[in-house]
């Protein structure tokens, strides 16, 4: 009897050399006894559509999409999940009945990680700093998971307002608990504060107004690093009881992609521990 060939997956981006996705998916495969191949694909904006269609035409089963192609992938897909439609950016593609399907699992990754950290969004007041692609990907899942209040602030405040308006005008949501403002506009007291800006990548901190944390509050930086980021350090001295970086979200969004592709939810913690040790 012939053993079936392992299904083929890859992550596509530019740059791509640094990607930890092949490691994460190999570990998930080992854990769940699913045989798979997972490569890195370098592409360019001009070649992106060709690279993706060639991959699927040659029998590839699924792709993760990373910077800077999440919007290109959203445009290319034949079918979008509701989260993908809202985010206008996707990180997971798969082939089904001859069509390319797309989902954005960043939001689910964040929710899984908040749950792991003991801070499920339900009933919480959440301050979201940033209104770029990552923020767009997480707002709908935060609302769907029952957060009490969501306030979005951004360096360019019109981007935050546009995002809040979209949520308020979405007929399926008609969210009344979403507001937006400038970085200075931090009034209130917060259970969870999420830094969804890329400021930590340049060793900076978003210049927000004073942030008041509720007791037992969590400060969450989507960026991950070997040491606590400046945002996490500032939150600790400002009264946030717990701080976390985005490594858990990285592993959890990969777990959500894995579940879409293979129908099995892998365990996040063991892979997170391995990655943390490598940082
Ligand atoms: P975008 O480029 O789409 O958006 C960047 C955001 O950061 C914008 O809101 C921008 O504000 C803001 N910003 C950048 N620099 C500063 C600064 N110095 N002060 C204040 N605000 C600033 O990036 P993404 O949204 O895709 O990604 C954001 C971060 O999240 C990245 O660092 C990325 O690595 C991380 N991420 C982590 C994931 C994980 O799994 N852990 C998943 C996805 C993203 P403005 O609109 O004014 O320009």
């Amino acid at each position: 009897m012939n053993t079936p060939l392992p299904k083929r997956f890859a992550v596509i981006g530019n740059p791509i050399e640094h990607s930890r996705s092949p490691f994460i998916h190999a570990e998930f495969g080992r854990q769940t006894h699913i045989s798979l191949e997972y490569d890195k694909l370098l592409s360019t904006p001009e070649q992106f559509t060709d690279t993706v269609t060639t991959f699927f035409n040659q029998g590839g089963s699924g792709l993760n999409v990373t910077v800077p192609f999440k919007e290109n992938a959203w445009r290319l897909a034949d079918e979008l999940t509701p989260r993908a439609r809202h985010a206008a950016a996707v990180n997971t593609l798969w082939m089904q009945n001859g069509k390319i399907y797309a989902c954005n699992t960043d939001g689910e990754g964040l929710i899984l990680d908040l749950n792991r950290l003991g801070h499920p969004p339900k009933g919480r007041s959440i301050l979201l700093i940033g209104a770029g692609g990552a923020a767009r990907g997480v707002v709908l899942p935060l609302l769907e998971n029952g957060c009490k209040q969501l306030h979005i602030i951004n360096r360019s405040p019109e981007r935050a307002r546009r995002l809040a308006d979209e949520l308020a005008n979405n007929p399926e949501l008609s969210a009344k608990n979403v507001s937006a403002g400038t970085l200075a506009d931090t009034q209130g007291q917060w259970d969870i504060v999420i830094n969804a800006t890329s400021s930590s990548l340049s060793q900076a901190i978003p210049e927000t107004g004073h942030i008041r944390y509720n007791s037992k509050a969590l400060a969450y930086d989507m960026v991950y690093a070997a040491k606590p980021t400046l945002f996490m350090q500032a939150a600790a001295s400002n009264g946030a009881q717990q701080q976390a970086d985005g490594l858990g979200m990285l592993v959890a969004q990969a777990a959500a992609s894995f579940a879409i592709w293979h129908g099995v939810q892998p365990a996040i913690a063991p892979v997170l521990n391995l990655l943390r040790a490598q940082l």
Side-chain angles (χ1 to χ4, degrees):
M1 200 173 74
N2 287 337
T3 315
L5 287 174
K7 288 186 176 177
R8 283 178 47 230
F9 300 87
V11 57
I12 181 166
N14 191 341
I16 200 61
E17 215 27 64
H18 66 289
S19 174
R20 295 175 195 266
S21 293
F23 174 81
I24 296 172
H25 281 269
E27 286 300 320
F28 287 159
R30 221 185 313 279
Q31 200 191 91
T32 55
H33 308 290
I34 291 174
S35 158
L36 58 92
E37 270 179 26
Y38 193 111
D39 299 318
K40 295 176 190 171
L41 290 182
L42 181 69
S43 194
T44 63
E46 298 74 32
Q47 291 170 341
F48 178 77
T49 301
D50 270 0
T51 318
V52 170
T53 44
T54 304
F55 175 82
F56 283 120
N57 288 341
Q58 292 179 346
S61 294
L63 282 175
N64 282 131
V65 183
T66 188
V67 177
F69 298 131
K70 290 185 181 182
E71 282 181 35
N72 305 60
W74 170 75
R75 273 191 224 101
L76 170 150
D78 301 309
E79 300 285 342
L80 298 165
T81 63
R83 285 177 179 182
R85 199 173 309 120
H86 178 81
V90 300
N91 67 346
T92 307
L93 299 175
W94 67 100
M95 184 60 92
Q96 198 176 313
N97 304 326
K99 288 182 173 177
I100 296 178
Y101 280 69
C103 186
N104 184 318
T105 67
D106 282 341
E108 188 176 343
L110 176 68
I111 303 294
L112 286 169
D113 206 33
L114 292 177
N115 289 341
R116 178 186 69 86
L117 292 162
H119 294 264
K122 192 170 173 52
R124 316 278 170 140
S125 295
I126 300 182
L127 176 66
L128 178 64
I129 312 169
R136 286 198 77 86
V138 302
V139 286
L140 194 56
L142 287 171
L143 290 168
E144 286 171 346
N145 281 272
C147 78
K148 186 170 82 183
Q149 182 192 3
L150 179 63
H151 186 53
I152 309 164
I153 58 175
N154 195 42
R155 185 173 60 182
S156 318
E158 65 283 357
R159 272 182 108 181
R161 292 200 184 99
R162 211 177 312 134
L163 189 49
D165 285 348
E166 280 174 33
L167 295 164
N169 297 330
N170 181 328
E172 285 159 36
L173 282 175
S174 37
K176 296 187 178 45
N177 51 350
V178 182
S179 53
T182 66
L183 283 183
D185 190 9
T186 49
Q187 73 275 12
Q189 239 178 309
W190 306 103
D191 299 308
I192 302 175
V193 178
I194 300 167
N195 182 16
T197 75
S198 45
S199 59
S200 295
L201 291 178
S202 45
Q203 314 306 321
I205 191 164
E207 290 178 15
T208 66
H210 178 66
I211 297 176
R212 288 169 65 212
Y213 290 93
N214 277 330
S215 62
K216 301 189 180 159
L218 169 72
Y220 192 96
D221 197 339
M222 282 195 192
V223 169
Y224 55 86
K227 291 186 187 153
T229 64
L230 282 184
F231 172 78
M232 291 164 66
Q233 292 174 34
S237 43
N238 202 12
Q241 192 194 55
Q242 195 178 347
Q243 309 88 40
D245 73 8
L247 195 64
M249 177 176 168
L250 176 80
V251 180
Q253 59 79 31
S257 297
F258 191 92
I260 290 173
W261 293 334
H262 304 285
V264 180
Q265 186 75 45
I268 293 162
V271 183
L272 177 55
N273 291 340
L274 288 172
L275 269 185
R276 181 68 71 196
Q278 289 173 8
L279 280 188

